[in-house]
Amino acid sequence: MESEAALGIESIDTPALVVDLDIMERNMKRMALRAEEAGVRLRPHVKTHKSPWIALKQLQYGAFGITVAKIGEAEVMRKHGITDILIAYPIVGEQKLRRLEKLAAHAEVTVALDSVEAARGISEVGRRLGKTMSLYIDVDTGLQRCGRQPGEETLQLARDIAKLPFVRITGLMTHAGHSYKADSQEERIRISRLEGALLAETKRLIEEKLGLDIPEISVGSTPTSFHCKEVEGITEIRPGTYVFNDATMVSLGLAGIVDCALTIHTTVVSRPSEDRAVIDAGSKTLSSDKGAYTEGYGCIRSAPQVRIDRLSEEHGVMLTAHDFPVSIGGRLEIIPNHVCPTVNLADELIGIRNGKVETVIPVEARGKNK
Amino acid sequence: MESEAALGIESIDTPALVVDLDIMERNMKRMALRAEEAGVRLRPHVKTHKSPWIALKQLQYGAFGITVAKIGEAEVMRKHGITDILIAYPIVGEQKLRRLEKLAAHAEVTVALDSVEAARGISEVGRRLGKTMSLYIDVDTGLQRCGRQPGEETLQLARDIAKLPFVRITGLMTHAGHSYKADSQEERIRISRLEGALLAETKRLIEEKLGLDIPEISVGSTPTSFHCKEVEGITEIRPGTYVFNDATMVSLGLAGIVDCALTIHTTVVSRPSEDRAVIDAGSKTLSSDKGAYTEGYGCIRSAPQVRIDRLSEEHGVMLTAHDFPVSIGGRLEIIPNHVCPTVNLADELIGIRNGKVETVIPVEARGKNK
């Protein structure tokens, strides 16, 4: 029975980020099932939601640990009782190493890196704690961001790290972010197979040459997670976006509009001409990150043919026809192009179920870029 | 004498937004002097810094009121004792009107709008308060965002508003944001003169036809503020960016590198190849707003020839030569392309003077998009 106290969505002031909890939970279950069927572990990247409340739900729905980018995010998640954390980012500098020391004293932390300089810092943290720290080597399988090249280059780094005390290489990881630019399922499968093969081959090389045991092969990105069953050797996936989905995922054919759990509720505030309407969500709300959705700055759920053509910080300028039915004060729901930076602009998410407000979810790890 | 307790900038963990207070204060004084010489009033837009501490300094250095975009920003500024506030954004919806009512009970608030629908809401607020509310009509002088067209269209809106009780049109305003795209000083002067002329002509039309007195002609944007002396009829300027400046202002020739008060301090965290280095500031720190600076995602102060080519949320990928001198753990200072969205991603700004940390400035109005 519906609570009498439950508020309808019209009670929410705009712009607001609204999460349909049923859709979100279905997304969580599907990805957990996909991981289970593939025999891999699900370690979602929490950068998409930045909310301990949602991270705990992911763990409840089958995830076995989480991934974060920065120590600040790990600290927030640890405070809420989450103890198995991969920091998929090199930790450099004494201030951050001191914080890592505190964190690792009370949590199972793995750190990813791609240099011996970064590894030396972690080794020092291990020494201070009297504890062997777990490391992943970041391998570049095509994104050309961080990461050593597969094969000999990664072997050389593994050799250098193996000489350091208080650290152990427990895995190889990669993030095939270029899969967001793949324009067909075949291309995505090719990228997925390649990342798996490159990591597996590099793992064999290191194990053979250095006599080490590297248990984990960890791959990231929501698009390649869809193919984890078809790729040999993977032990762990780290998708993020799947929890909400977004217009990029829809444009890639990896989600339907009905699978998009997060929308931005906006109000039309100006109708300066027949061919233009302005909403109260600009780049400060939607972010100016376009992702792979090329039809504008977000997809209007009730009118996907209407283009959000330009953003200022507080204005979204839509190109409209003269008979566009929404007038000043009317509301629109927008699916963001790339949901992760959108969430990073918000202090809270409004959780709804069956059109009623159920909870307000603080984005507690928002802005934690240190 | 230098305080022994003062910390050097190397004590700041990265990524961090650092403000050189001497440069900022010089920028404030210069713009106040420019306004004074032109005989116009300076009502800076605080969206650039979102900090009551800095807004109060602007008032101290010659500004006579402030401009904000959203009520949430006005509320924060009011809390710190600032009482003369222009909300340069249409206020639509009952929740926001209730908040405006509270705000206007204890402050001199002017609201800008471009529709009779929005004016009716403000009229109702005035009725509840038993107070005449001051309105600016937003006129579109070429940006094609919000605003009525100059001349007859604005006259018609003025006629409709004049029939409403508890509101009074006290000014016409425009934001010539397209001046950021002007590629020469001549073009900027042309835009400045045009905005002035269009507003002055529309003011005369309204005064003549409706017998109203419209005291204020208010123009925005830092680029056109440079020419306020050359344009007749302007009574008020609303620049924002000038307080810090940014790579866009430098690329437009309106500021030098030495006039950029805010830089992002970053650390190199990865050097995956000779032609690439990665810093710990990505779009979550710099924002993906490119502004008018086309050489990449920010200008590296010590190496402006090095391009920040791509951003992920936590990664800035620089294209480097093999002899790029900064190795892992080394620091770089970046001038952001567009400083306003960059500040909106930060919780605090570190205020320095002569290379020492003097204060930490909370970005208290960050994220106030309602």
Side-chain angles (χ1 to χ4, degrees), chain A residues 108-119:
Chain A
E108 286 310 305
V109 179
T110 299
V111 178
L113 46 75
D114 65 358
S115 70
V116 70
E117 291 90 336

Side-chain angles (χ1 to χ4, degrees), chain B residues 53-338:
Chain B
W53 189 84
I54 295 177
L56 288 165
K57 228 178 225 302
Q58 286 176 308
L59 292 170
Q60 179 194 330
Y61 280 107
F64 84 102
I66 62 165
T67 305
V68 302
K70 296 283 180 103
I71 295 188
E73 293 174 328
E75 288 166 342
V76 169
M77 296 296 161
R78 177 64 194 85
K79 214 174 70 183
H80 288 268
I82 297 174
T83 54
D84 189 341
I85 303 173
L86 165 64
I87 305 176
Y89 198 89
I91 295 175
V92 172
E94 190 50 31
Q95 283 121 321
K96 290 193 180 71
L97 292 171
R98 289 279 167 200
R99 287 162 63 203
L100 177 63
E101 187 185 333
K102 276 192 190 167
L103 183 75
H106 305 285
E108 286 311 304
V109 179
T110 299
V111 178
L113 45 76
D114 65 358
S115 71
V116 71
E117 291 88 335
R120 281 196 202 104
I122 312 299
S123 169
E124 174 59 21
V125 169
R127 192 192 59 74
R128 289 182 207 150
L129 288 170
K131 173 175 179 173
T132 296
M133 301 287 293
S134 174
L135 299 183
Y136 279 5
I137 297 182
D138 186 4
V139 180
D140 178 13
T141 55
L143 180 61
Q144 297 189 293
R145 194 173 66 182
C146 291
R148 304 320 301 176
Q149 291 305 301
E152 285 297 329
E153 212 185 279
T154 301
L155 172 65
Q156 184 54 50
L157 176 57
R159 188 177 281 129
D160 293 341
I161 292 174
K163 293 174 194 157
L164 298 173
F166 298 105
V167 288
R168 180 175 164 237
I169 304 164
T170 55
L172 301 182
M173 72 156 244
T174 195
H175 171 61
H178 50 301
S179 61
Y180 283 97
K181 290 188 178 151
D183 54 6
S184 67
Q185 175 161 315
E186 291 67 37
E187 177 62 7
R188 265 194 311 279
I189 292 178
R190 195 193 65 76
I191 291 172
S192 302
R193 291 217 162 110
L194 183 63
E195 69 171 356
L198 290 170
L199 291 186
E201 174 53 29
T202 304
K203 166 188 152 90
R204 273 191 292 275
L205 186 69
I206 296 172
E207 290 183 336
E208 187 192 305
K209 298 281 185 182
L210 306 183
L212 300 174
D213 173 40
I214 315 255
E216 304 295 342
I217 296 278
S218 173
V219 301
S221 102
T222 295
T224 61
S225 296
F226 278 75
H227 306 295
C228 60
K229 203 173 165 180
E230 297 144 58
V231 180
E232 294 267 313
I234 292 172
T235 65
E236 177 176 281
I237 57 173
R238 310 184 314 277
T241 309
Y242 77 96
V243 68
F244 295 142
N245 289 312
D246 55 22
T248 289
M249 292 296 290
V250 173
S251 75
L252 292 174
L254 292 171
I257 294 274
V258 293
D259 302 315
C260 292
L262 186 148
T263 58
I264 295 107
H265 287 225
T266 65
T267 300
V268 173
V269 293
S270 171
R271 190 83 168 93
S273 64
E274 283 196 345
D275 59 359
R276 216 180 328 130
V278 180
I279 48 174
D280 62 358
S283 64
K284 246 179 76 179
T285 301
L286 297 169
S287 103
S288 35
D289 189 332
K290 294 201 75 170
Y293 179 75
T294 55
E295 306 302 313
Y297 289 95
C299 172
I300 303 171
R301 184 166 244 170
S302 60
Q305 78 286 0
V306 174
R307 185 183 174 88
I308 304 173
D309 188 55
R310 283 178 285 144
L311 299 182
S312 307
E313 285 153 79
E314 304 285 10
H315 303 78
V317 179
M318 303 186 296
L319 304 183
T320 55
H322 72 280
D323 60 350
F324 185 67
V326 184
S327 45
I328 290 174
R331 290 189 172 211
L332 292 169
E333 243 184 278
I334 295 170
I335 299 164
N337 282 18
H338 183 187

Side-chain angles (χ1 to χ4, degrees), chain B residues 18-30 242-245 255-263 301 333 352-354:
Chain B
V18 178
V19 174
D20 188 306
L21 300 170
D22 284 332
I23 300 176
M24 182 186 80
E25 287 162 12
R26 191 177 67 200
N27 291 342
M28 287 179 180
K29 285 179 203 163
R30 279 184 186 164
Y242 77 96
V243 68
F244 295 142
N245 289 312
I257 294 274
V258 293
D259 302 315
C260 292
L262 186 148
T263 58
R301 184 166 244 170
E333 243 184 278
I352 63 166
R353 209 183 290 274
N354 301 320

Side-chain angles (χ1 to χ4, degrees), chain A residues 147-282:
Chain A
R148 303 320 301 176
Q149 292 304 301
E152 284 298 329
E153 211 185 280
T154 301
L155 171 66
Q156 184 54 49
L157 177 57
R159 187 177 281 128
D160 292 341
I161 292 174
K163 293 174 193 156
L164 298 172
F166 296 106
V167 287
R168 181 176 162 234
I169 304 164
T170 56
L172 301 181
M173 72 156 245
T174 195
H175 170 60
H178 50 301
S179 61
Y180 283 96
K181 290 186 179 154
D183 55 5
S184 68
Q185 174 160 319
E186 290 67 39
E187 177 63 5
R188 266 194 310 279
I189 292 178
R190 193 193 65 75
I191 291 172
S192 303
R193 290 218 164 112
L194 183 63
E195 68 171 355
L198 290 171
L199 291 186
E201 175 52 31
T202 305
K203 165 188 152 88
R204 270 191 295 273
L205 186 68
I206 296 172
E207 291 184 336
E208 188 191 303
K209 298 280 184 183
L210 306 183
L212 300 175
D213 174 40
I214 314 255
E216 304 294 341
I217 296 279
S218 173
V219 301
S221 103
T222 295
T224 60
S225 295
F226 278 74
H227 305 296
C228 60
K229 204 174 164 179
E230 297 145 57
V231 179
E232 294 269 312
I234 293 172
T235 64
E236 177 177 280
I237 58 173
R238 309 185 316 276
T241 309
Y242 78 95
V243 69
F244 295 143
N245 289 313
D246 55 22
T248 289
M249 291 296 290
V250 173
S251 75
L252 292 175
L254 293 172
I257 294 274
V258 293
D259 302 315
C260 292
L262 186 149
T263 58
I264 294 107
H265 287 226
T266 65
T267 299
V268 174
V269 294
S270 172
R271 190 81 169 94
S273 65
E274 282 196 344
D275 60 359
R276 217 181 327 130
V278 179
I279 48 174
D280 62 358

Side-chain angles (χ1 to χ4, degrees), chain A residues 283-361:
Chain A
S283 64
K284 245 180 76 177
T285 302
L286 296 168
S287 103
S288 35
D289 189 333
K290 294 202 75 170
Y293 180 75
T294 55
E295 305 302 312
Y297 289 94
C299 172
I300 303 172
R301 185 167 243 170
S302 61
Q305 78 286 0
V306 174
R307 185 183 174 89
I308 304 173
D309 188 55
R310 283 178 287 144
L311 299 183
S312 307
E313 283 153 82
E314 303 286 9
H315 303 78
V317 180
M318 302 186 296
L319 304 183
T320 56
H322 71 280
D323 60 351
F324 184 67
V326 183
S327 44
I328 291 173
R331 288 188 173 212
L332 291 169
E333 240 182 279
I334 294 169
I335 299 164
N337 282 18
H338 183 187
V339 71
C340 310
T342 304
V343 170
N344 187 52
L345 293 163
D347 290 315
E348 59 185 32
L349 311 175
I350 312 291
I352 63 166
R353 210 182 289 273
N354 300 319
K356 299 283 178 198
V357 176
E358 183 174 300
T359 187
V360 175
I361 308 163

